[in-house]
Amino acid sequence: MWDGPFYRVRREAYEICFVPGAGEDLAEVDDVDMWVILDDGDRWSGTVYTLDVVRRNMDRWRNTGECLDGSYFWVWDGLIVREPGIPAMVRVIDHLVSTGDYRTTLRHVGPEGDLD
């Protein structure tokens, strides 16, 4: 459901909060910041990209000189998925939460308001 600029997906023990672009078709989202917010308030953040976004960036960097002329792609809390769209991303994030892999895939940012 939409909540201002956020698109929230509620699950039994957590919520996934996406920040798609204004007016962006949710079925076509291919690059988006997100958080997993556990019911205890703990938060994990990441940026979800599709393979196509990674390829486009690397191709562009070939011309701009960034990342050794597009020779590599690196991001600390990046999650690369095959398919675009919030539903496909939710499916992946649900899997990460159910397996506990979100702890190594996403960045721990602590509870809201935590300054440490």
Side-chain angles (χ1 to χ4, degrees):
M1 80 173 171
W2 282 102
D3 177 17
F6 306 107
Y7 186 79
R8 298 179 184 268
V9 178
R10 181 74 197 138
R11 295 302 196 224
E12 188 172 318
Y14 59 97
E15 178 177 69
I16 308 166
C17 179
F18 294 95
V19 190
E24 192 171 4
D25 181 349
L26 296 180
E28 298 298 321
V29 172
D30 62 0
D31 180 356
V32 66
D33 292 328
M34 53 73 59
W35 295 268
V36 171
I37 306 166
L38 304 177
D39 281 354
D40 67 3
D42 208 13
R43 295 176 305 145
W44 298 78
S45 74
T47 301
V48 185
Y49 306 93
T50 64
L51 289 168
D52 287 340
V53 167
V54 173
R55 181 188 44 75
R56 283 194 309 263
N57 285 337
M58 293 179 80
D59 287 349
R60 185 178 70 247
W61 296 339
R62 188 177 287 153
N63 297 321
T64 66
E66 295 171 77
C67 297
L68 193 61
D69 299 324
S71 297
Y72 66 93
F73 182 95
W74 182 90
V75 60
W76 181 28
D77 61 352
L79 173 61
I80 300 171
V81 298
R82 184 174 300 281
E83 302 298 327
I86 297 294
M89 293 174 183
V90 167
R91 189 170 54 252
V92 169
I93 294 164
D94 283 345
H95 173 77
L96 293 174
V97 172
S98 73
T99 62
D101 287 344
Y102 71 94
R103 291 182 198 100
T104 55
T105 305
L106 303 176
R107 178 175 33 163
H108 185 238
V109 294
E112 190 170 358
D114 189 2
L115 299 177
D116 293 336

